[in-house]
Amino acid sequence: MRIMYLILNLLYSNEARSKLIALTQKEIIEALADDGESWNERTIYNKLRELEKNNYVGAGFKKGNAKTFFIRPEGIAWMEDAEREVN
């Protein structure tokens, strides 16, 4: 649950909100590492697929051979709900 929030928050804060402006899995892993979060590539892959299945993220245009991801309005709403639960 925490990793899903971190991924969504990362996409949101990097303004990855459309097919055109989206991040690759590698960029997500690097950005999380820059924030002091160390996650396995497979874990990120699985969580991105789960977020995509739940319609919280969408697939953007490819960067080279890499698939990209952006946050959808449903993901923003889920993230805001999670923040309200904490507060």
Side-chain angles (χ1 to χ4, degrees):
M1 198 72 149
R2 180 173 173 266
I3 184 61
M4 292 169 60
Y5 175 82
L6 290 173
I7 292 169
L8 290 174
N9 190 36
L10 178 68
L11 292 171
Y12 183 80
S13 63
N14 282 289
E15 297 185 8
R17 299 179 194 156
S18 70
K19 288 185 176 193
L20 187 58
I21 302 170
L23 299 176
T24 65
Q25 179 180 332
K26 183 178 179 183
E27 291 170 332
I28 291 168
I29 291 169
E30 289 172 356
L32 289 172
D34 289 344
D35 289 341
E37 298 286 337
S38 178
W39 294 92
N40 174 313
E41 284 184 34
R42 190 68 179 167
T43 300
I44 300 298
Y45 174 85
N46 289 336
K47 293 304 176 186
L48 283 168
R49 297 304 170 260
E50 186 176 342
L51 288 166
E52 192 173 24
K53 179 182 164 196
N54 291 328
N55 238 8
Y56 297 152
V57 301
F61 296 123
K62 285 193 165 191
K63 280 189 184 175
N65 290 331
K67 188 173 180 180
T68 62
F69 301 91
F70 67 94
I71 190 167
R72 299 175 60 84
E74 295 88 342
I76 295 170
W78 182 85
M79 195 173 63
E80 290 171 347
D81 288 343
E83 289 173 355
R84 272 194 292 274
E85 285 179 22
V86 172
N87 296 330

